[in-house]
Amino acid sequence: MSPVTRHPSLIFLLGFMGSGKSTLGPVLAEAMDYDFVDTDELIERQSECTVAEIFTEKGEAIFRRYERDILRSLFRRKKMVIACGGGLPCFFDNMEQMNAHGITVYLQATPELLAQRLEDHKAEHRPLLQDKTGEELRLHIAQMLEQREQHYTKATIVVEALHASLPVLIKQLSSS
Ligand code: S3P
């Protein structure tokens, strides 16, 4: 039986790049016997392009439309943990739609922690961070985060990313 007493059918994990959505998501899904999906992976599979290629060849606006469409297609699904790309909650009415269709969990982290985690793991699906390192990376993250927090903080549950673990998430979900 799932350790979460009440069963939100869809759980959306939100947060800046590097906040831990893709690490915690599969662990949470397994514990709850839910499916796990990552919106970036779904977009890459459906478009047969990497996120970086979409940004370079089609532009960010098209990528945001792909995100919105993928998100809408998941609303009819059940028992699923969805790791959302870092920018997804900040475009269109995605945040309101997610709150209407499930539970949203924001993994909140400081620019310092994120910069530290992202320094070596920017990888190719994060074109918004490419070429930035050190203090420049931290400042860039701080600026983006300042704009994005207004969307992220509409989440049902806010968890400190540094201390986010399976027991913490389960506890928060059970009492939400
Ligand atoms: C983005 C975050 C990335 C990916 C794309 C844009 C963003 O996902 O969707 O590079 O705007 O914050 P992760 O948060 O999974 O790294």
Side-chain angles (χ1 to χ4, degrees):
M1 202 173 79
S2 161
V4 174
T5 2
R6 286 174 59 227
H7 298 264
S9 201
L10 294 178
I11 299 172
F12 301 95
L13 292 185
L14 323 175
F16 203 83
M17 295 170 264
S19 57
K21 297 162 290 178
S22 310
T23 310
L24 279 168
V27 178
L28 178 64
E30 197 186 345
M32 296 185 65
D33 201 17
Y34 276 27
D35 291 328
F36 172 75
V37 292
D38 177 305
T39 58
D40 286 337
E41 280 174 23
L42 288 180
I43 290 172
E44 290 191 334
R45 219 178 302 150
Q46 278 199 10
S47 64
E48 296 182 354
C49 289
T50 65
V51 169
E53 282 165 354
I54 301 171
F55 268 75
T56 322
E57 290 162 21
K58 302 181 178 170
E60 181 175 348
I62 296 287
F63 176 75
R64 299 303 173 193
R65 275 197 247 157
Y66 287 173
E67 277 187 323
R68 180 190 56 190
D69 295 347
I70 286 284
L71 184 67
R72 298 295 183 280
S73 74
L74 295 173
F75 290 154
R76 65 183 101 94
R77 304 290 294 272
K78 296 245 181 319
K79 298 179 77 177
M80 188 171 260
V81 174
I82 301 157
C84 299
L88 183 147
C90 315
F91 290 84
F92 308 105
D93 61 345
N94 291 346
M95 197 63 224
E96 287 70 24
Q97 290 291 333
M98 288 189 283
N99 276 331
H101 287 88
I103 295 261
T104 47
V105 182
Y106 170 34
L107 300 177
Q108 190 170 42
T110 61
E112 289 69 28
L113 176 69
L114 295 168
Q116 206 181 342
R117 287 185 179 176
L118 290 164
E119 188 72 57
D120 302 320
H121 299 282
K122 281 176 276 170
E124 61 163 18
H125 79 285
R126 288 168 174 154
L128 293 175
L129 300 179
Q130 285 308 296
D131 68 352
K132 307 227 172 10
T133 54
E135 181 57 10
E136 197 194 0
L137 177 64
R138 193 197 65 79
L139 267 176
H140 182 65
I141 292 171
Q143 279 163 5
M144 287 180 78
L145 203 52
E146 200 180 328
Q147 290 166 6
R148 290 181 170 190
E149 277 267 309
Q150 58 178 309
H151 304 283
Y152 292 150
T153 51
K154 288 182 194 155
T156 328
I157 297 171
V158 180
V159 176
E160 210 186 321
L162 186 60
H163 303 299
S165 62
L166 181 61
V168 169
L169 285 180
I170 296 281
K171 190 168 169 233
Q172 292 278 343
L173 285 164
S174 301
S175 55
S176 70

